[in-house]
């Protein structure tokens, strides 16, 4: 016969009475005898906050980092006579847009910005691609003289770039690439730092078992690179691409040799503003500000994605 509802209630009450309660045992469970720690209300949503000293140090470093940019904008908004006075100006003037217009027209800044964007973007993409492939080969593949070749690649970092200027210029003159953008792009399509950086990242971030499992499933080398290596290396590729783009944007030594004012990059175009018996420092600062604004815009738009990719890779690693 099935027990009635009253019998069920009686058994339940008896079981609750017979068993020792948690409060009676001093907060210990009857099975383990361990004391339960009470959960504080609101502890899950609590955030850690830095102290005043930490915020003060961060504000100090932020002000020191922004001071060159702010001073450039202040100098670009003044005239040459005011910049020569003592003390120098510490607030903005009213000549910013007129000086930027003069720099834009005198330095052919529109063409220079387009050329620099194309050059820096091409160098960043090629460096990320080739450095990732080479880094994967040095990190996970087995071939003869791998360590020797890696040492030779790293050894090229100790050679000053000034030593290669003469043979490099002779090569582009022979190819008739003088004053053309490929003369700047091709010599910088990959560098030893990028190869070493990607190799060091993939050694720990890419498990060898993952590559072996892909080979067991029948994936060929290109498919492994596309579906396994690139997704794992994405955070490091973002960092390398960002660093390479900034370095290529600010490159001055080789572009000033290979290019002229007729087809300049930003750094080459800025040299045209410093000519004359008395260079106009305010116009030069306005040109430098114009050359910096695209980088600031790029970091503003894509900085969160880059940092998010880096943090995601750090958590997965």
């Amino acid at each position: 016969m099935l027990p009635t509802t009253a019998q069920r209630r009686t058994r339940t009450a008896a079981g609750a009475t017979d068993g020792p309660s948690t409060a009676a045992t001093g907060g210990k469970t009857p099975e383990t005898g361990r004391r339960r720690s009470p959960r504080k209300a609101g502890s899950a949503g609590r955030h850690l906050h830095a102290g005043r000293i930490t915020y003060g140090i961060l504000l100090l470093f932020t002000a020191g980092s922004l001071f060159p940019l702010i001073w450039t904008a202040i100098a670009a908004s003044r005239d040459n006579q005011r910049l020569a006075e003592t003390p120098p100006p510490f607030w903005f003037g009213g000549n910013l847009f007129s000086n930027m217009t003069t720099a834009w027209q005198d330095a052919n800044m529109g063409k220079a910005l387009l050329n620099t964007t194309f050059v820096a973007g091409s160098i960043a993409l090629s460096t990320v691609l080739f450095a990732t492939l080479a880094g994967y080969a040095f990190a996970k593949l087995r071939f003869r003289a791998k360590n020797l070749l890696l040492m030779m690649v790293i050894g090229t970092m100790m050679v000053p770039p000034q030593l290669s200027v003469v043979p490099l210029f002779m090569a582009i003159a022979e190819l008739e690439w003088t004053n053309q953008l490929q003369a700047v792009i091709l010599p910088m399509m990959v560098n030893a730092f990028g190869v070493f950086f990607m190799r060091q990242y993939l050694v720990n971030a890419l498990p060898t078992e993952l590559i072996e499992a892909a080979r067991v499933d029948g994936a060929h080398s290109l498919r492994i690179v596309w579906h396994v290596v690139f997704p794992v290396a994405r955070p490091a590729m973002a960092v390398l691409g960002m660093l390479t783009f900034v370095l290529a944007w600010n490159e001055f030594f080789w572009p000033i040799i290979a290019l002229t004012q007729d087809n300049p990059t930003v750094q080459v175009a800025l040299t045209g503003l410093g000519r004359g018996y008395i260079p106009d420092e305010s116009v030069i600062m306005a040109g430098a500000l114009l050359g910096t604004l695209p980088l600031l815009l790029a970091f503003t738009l894509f900085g969160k994605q880059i940092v998010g990719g880096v943090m995601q890779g750090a958590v997965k690693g």
Side-chain angles (χ1 to χ4, degrees):
M1 298 177 57
L2 295 176
T4 62
T5 305
Q7 291 175 346
R8 294 196 193 100
R9 292 178 179 176
T10 303
R11 293 178 182 178
T12 303
T17 305
D18 295 341
S21 63
T22 304
T25 56
K28 297 180 180 180
T29 58
E31 292 84 1
T32 60
R34 296 179 181 177
R35 183 178 298 275
R36 291 179 179 177
S37 58
R39 178 180 293 180
K40 296 181 180 180
S43 61
R46 186 174 299 174
H47 298 281
L48 297 177
H49 296 280
R52 296 181 178 179
I53 298 178
T54 303
Y55 281 114
I57 294 175
L58 290 176
L59 288 175
L60 182 63
F61 277 94
T62 302
S65 301
L66 292 177
F67 177 76
L69 181 62
I70 296 175
W71 167 249
T72 301
I74 292 175
S77 63
R78 297 286 182 167
D79 53 17
N80 212 25
Q81 182 180 358
R82 181 64 183 90
L83 292 179
E85 296 178 358
T86 303
F90 292 102
W91 193 245
F92 298 94
N95 300 329
L96 178 61
F97 293 103
S98 62
N99 289 335
M100 293 178 71
T101 302
T102 303
W104 184 276
Q105 295 174 354
D106 294 350
N108 197 10
M109 191 60 69
K111 187 174 183 179
L113 288 174
L114 291 177
N115 288 345
T116 308
T117 302
F118 177 73
V119 169
S122 301
I123 292 175
L125 289 176
S126 62
T127 299
V128 169
L129 175 62
F130 294 132
T132 304
L133 294 176
Y136 164 65
F138 283 120
K140 295 300 178 179
L141 299 184
R142 297 180 181 179
F143 52 91
R144 293 182 180 180
K146 181 175 71 172
N147 295 330
L148 178 61
L149 291 176
L150 180 61
M151 290 296 103
M152 292 176 62
V153 171
I154 298 175
T156 59
M157 299 173 63
M158 297 183 291
V159 179
Q162 291 81 3
L163 296 180
S164 60
V165 167
V166 174
L168 189 57
F169 185 81
M170 294 174 61
I172 67 168
E174 189 71 22
L175 295 172
E176 298 181 355
W177 286 355
T178 306
N179 199 27
Q180 297 184 22
L181 297 182
Q182 60 263 32
V184 181
I185 296 175
L186 291 180
M188 302 175 62
M189 291 185 67
V190 68
N191 55 68
F193 170 76
V195 175
F196 180 74
F197 177 79
M198 294 304 303
R199 187 260 178 191
Q200 293 299 109
Y201 180 84
L202 291 174
V203 164
N204 298 321
L206 181 60
T208 306
E209 294 79 7
L210 194 61
I211 301 174
E212 294 177 351
R215 293 191 183 279
V216 170
D217 291 339
H220 51 79
S221 298
L222 291 179
R223 189 172 182 181
I224 291 175
V225 169
W226 184 259
H227 292 283
V228 178
V229 178
F230 283 170
V232 173
R234 190 177 301 167
M237 293 169 68
V239 174
L240 180 61
M242 176 186 63
L243 294 176
T244 306
F245 186 86
V246 174
L247 291 175
W249 186 280
N250 296 323
E251 180 65 27
F252 174 75
F253 181 71
W254 174 242
I256 196 62
I257 297 174
L259 302 177
T260 65
Q261 294 293 331
D262 297 330
N263 192 29
T265 58
V266 169
Q267 308 304 325
V268 177
L270 291 178
T271 60
L273 297 176
R275 298 177 180 178
Y277 184 73
I278 301 178
D280 195 339
E281 299 292 340
S282 60
V283 176
I284 295 175
M285 290 296 182
L289 187 62
L290 285 172
T292 308
L293 288 179
L295 288 180
L296 296 178
L297 181 62
F299 277 105
T300 302
L301 295 178
F302 305 108
K304 184 178 294 186
Q305 287 79 3
I306 294 174
V307 174
V310 174
M311 295 303 297
Q312 182 182 4
V315 172
K316 288 183 178 181

